[in-house]
Amino acid sequence: MAITYNSFGYSSSLAEQAVGNNPTASTISFTETVKWKWEDNKRTNQAEGYKYDFVVIGQNPFTVTFSERQNINQFDEVVFKNLEACNVRGKLHFRADSVTAVKKGDK
């Protein structure tokens, strides 16, 4: 399916085009990656987000940013709350309010 990249800002419809409607995704991150806040071109010690990597069957892996740490582990199957995507120079960036584990993963 071709993805329309001419949207501006974050959009749930762009996320749906990219990964499907209400997909169940698997967490592939061992742990979160902290997105640090920057001021005056210097990194502060304040986190402004947390990134996790996911995969949906039949799709490429993708990274989602959350404002808070999520209580998930590697290989958990999750559903997203308010997943949105944004196109920046041809690359999709994802964010969501939270995730809920629907099945704990086996390690």
Side-chain angles (χ1 to χ4, degrees):
M1 170 192 283
I3 297 174
T4 306
Y5 287 113
N6 60 358
S7 65
F8 296 98
Y10 279 92
S11 142
S12 59
S13 63
L14 185 57
E16 185 178 325
Q17 287 180 51
V19 298
N21 185 18
N22 297 321
T24 299
S26 294
T27 311
I28 56 177
S29 296
F30 178 72
T31 186
E32 75 274 348
T33 301
V34 178
K35 181 179 175 187
W36 297 103
K37 183 175 182 177
W38 288 74
E39 291 180 359
D40 300 323
N41 291 326
K42 295 179 183 175
R43 193 193 93 178
T44 67
N45 288 330
Q46 183 179 357
E48 70 176 3
Y50 300 89
K51 297 179 180 183
Y52 297 83
D53 296 321
F54 299 92
V55 68
V56 172
I57 294 175
Q59 303 292 333
N60 291 326
F62 59 100
T63 302
V64 180
T65 302
F66 302 90
S67 60
E68 301 289 329
R69 277 194 170 102
Q70 301 298 299
N71 187 22
I72 54 176
N73 296 308
Q74 190 176 32
F75 308 124
D76 285 355
E77 287 185 30
V78 300
V79 292
F80 297 99
K81 180 178 180 188
N82 298 324
L83 180 66
E84 298 177 310
C86 178
N87 173 31
V88 178
R89 296 185 199 111
K91 182 176 180 191
L92 292 179
H93 296 266
F94 294 88
R95 71 179 182 189
D97 292 341
S98 64
V99 293
T100 302
V102 293
K103 181 179 176 188
K104 289 294 185 180
D106 297 324
K107 288 188 177 182

